Amino acid sequence: MTGADSRKIVSLGGGHGLYATLTAMRYLSSEVTAVVTVADDGGSSGRIRAELGAIPPGDLRMALTALVSAPAALAELDEEQSSRVTTWAQTLQHRFSGHGALAGHPVGNLLLAGLADVLGDPIAALDELLRLFGAEGRVLPMARVPLMIEADVSGLESDPRMSRVIQGQVAVATTPGKVRRVRLLPAEPPACADALTAIADADIITLGPGSWFSSVIPHVLVPEQVNALTRSKARRMLIVNLEPELGETTGFSLERHLHVLHAHADTLRIDDVIVDESSVPLGREREHVERAAALFGAQLRIGDLAVSGAHVHDPRKVARLVEGLAERPR
């Protein structure tokens, strides 16, 4: 890997999937911008959202921690600086235990919420924390207002043809039914202007992996953001999950993941659909996935992307494949 710092990379997603992608992209560039979903309504984020009316900080905290503590970022520091940054990254992720009012809150969530309150702007708070830790890149919310996910779910009624509307990211992620479609409330929310600028200026854009209905698809439900992705001259890459996620996508094939995304954003254009070699065997199944990728105008790209013996993406392997694709003609 070249570590080409001149590349501008934008990664869209949320949660652990975005954390892994940001760790990977930091091997390729220091100019990495995370655009993060803001629909979480559970745990610490849900409590802060309900009590303060703030955008939920949890996924933003994880993205910030990824940029602060990525191995490629730490490698640029001396031993003392690296140790200090590592301690701070661990502190941002640390959750208070016990049974009191602070129980379950990560330190970073409270720090972000407090700094946003002081500065009057969540984006200014994120920028300030990155400066404080000497980290490069940016973390931006997908929207400046907290969003709600609403889903049509089948399999919850006695009549299998009937569907029920459920609301909330936690409810969608844990439903025993089958999620058919999701929406954002408010509908067609305004995009973050800084995120639109980053997308317009990017050389590489990644979407995914992550919780398909609550971390990936929400990014294509913001009309201004989808339009920016369509107009962008960047190399646009979709990184697909290694396996279905219990609850949201139980029983989904890789092909089904692509069809569901296309059903929510049929104007979305992608250059490369990136999948792990173990999830798409040779033969008819691979042909079906190739046709599904073509719905976006994309080529199917297959590689060894997983940590050996685990169902998680290996950031170095992902970075290597992305770098190779970025150097190819489209």
Side-chain angles (χ1 to χ4, degrees):
M1 289 177 283
T2 64
D5 284 348
S6 61
R7 290 191 181 115
K8 294 181 179 180
I9 301 176
V10 175
S11 293
L12 292 79
H16 294 283
L18 181 59
Y19 187 103
T21 300
L22 292 172
T23 303
M25 295 305 100
R26 192 57 182 78
Y27 283 115
L28 304 182
S29 177
S30 59
E31 294 190 64
V32 180
T33 297
V35 180
V36 186
T37 53
V38 286
D40 193 1
D41 63 347
S44 168
S45 286
R47 290 158 62 190
I48 289 173
R49 170 180 179 156
E51 292 176 23
L52 302 178
I55 57 176
D59 285 0
L60 295 165
R61 178 202 83 244
M62 287 191 66
L64 188 147
T65 305
L67 292 182
V68 166
S69 62
L74 295 177
E76 297 167 359
L77 306 175
D78 63 33
E79 185 175 350
E80 181 179 349
Q81 290 172 322
S82 177
S83 176
R84 180 177 61 83
V85 169
T86 298
T87 298
W88 267 110
Q90 292 171 344
T91 302
L92 289 173
Q93 296 284 69
H94 175 73
R95 288 182 185 270
F96 290 105
S97 58
H99 303 285
L102 289 177
H105 279 299
V107 173
N109 283 10
L110 300 175
L111 186 58
L112 264 175
L115 191 54
D117 211 24
V118 169
L119 298 178
D121 182 5
I123 294 176
L126 289 160
D127 288 342
E128 181 59 29
L129 282 179
L130 285 167
R131 281 194 294 270
L132 178 65
F133 299 130
E136 298 187 70
R138 293 193 80 188
V139 176
L140 300 169
M142 186 177 72
R144 282 180 169 270
V145 296
L147 303 176
M148 179 71 71
I149 294 176
E150 181 178 84
D152 297 328
V153 180
S154 63
L156 300 178
E157 309 290 346
S158 57
D159 185 345
R161 296 169 298 178
M162 299 290 290
S163 65
R164 184 189 302 177
V165 175
I166 63 174
Q167 288 187 351
Q169 181 171 326
V170 173
V172 171
T174 59
T175 179
K178 293 183 179 180
V179 180
R180 300 298 186 185
R181 194 168 189 88
V182 293
R183 295 172 292 277
L184 291 178
L185 300 176
E188 300 187 357
C192 172
D194 286 13
L196 298 181
T197 299
I199 289 169
D201 294 341
D203 299 302
I204 298 171
I205 297 171
T206 68
L207 174 62
S211 299
W212 211 243
F213 284 106
S214 54
S215 292
V216 176
I217 288 177
H219 281 282
V220 303
L221 300 180
V222 180
E224 291 174 295
Q225 186 160 285
V226 174
N227 291 338
L229 291 170
T230 301
R231 293 193 304 268
S232 175
K233 293 179 169 55
R235 185 101 184 203
R236 295 158 296 188
M237 305 179 184
L238 175 68
I239 304 174
V240 185
N241 296 351
L242 294 173
E243 60 181 358
E245 187 168 16
L246 290 177
E248 284 198 16
T249 55
T250 300
F252 273 38
S253 65
L254 197 152
E255 178 189 8
R256 177 66 177 156
H257 279 80
L258 299 182
H259 278 293
V260 166
L261 178 62
H262 187 262
H264 284 82
D266 58 9
T267 63
L268 179 64
R269 311 313 295 165
I270 296 169
D271 297 293
D272 307 289
V273 170
I274 297 172
V275 303
D276 181 64
E277 60 189 11
S278 66
S279 63
V280 54
L282 286 169
R284 184 170 296 179
E285 184 176 344
R286 182 170 296 191
E287 293 173 3
H288 290 167
V289 176
E290 288 173 344
R291 284 197 291 271
L295 294 172
F296 302 97
Q299 294 289 317
L300 181 64
R301 310 296 189 182
I302 301 169
D304 173 17
L305 302 177
V307 173
S308 179
H311 292 291
V312 294
H313 282 89
D314 184 314
R316 284 186 178 274
K317 292 179 179 179
V318 172
R320 195 172 295 117
L321 180 58
V322 168
E323 183 178 40
L325 291 175
E327 293 172 352
R328 288 193 199 181
R330 289 187 246 191

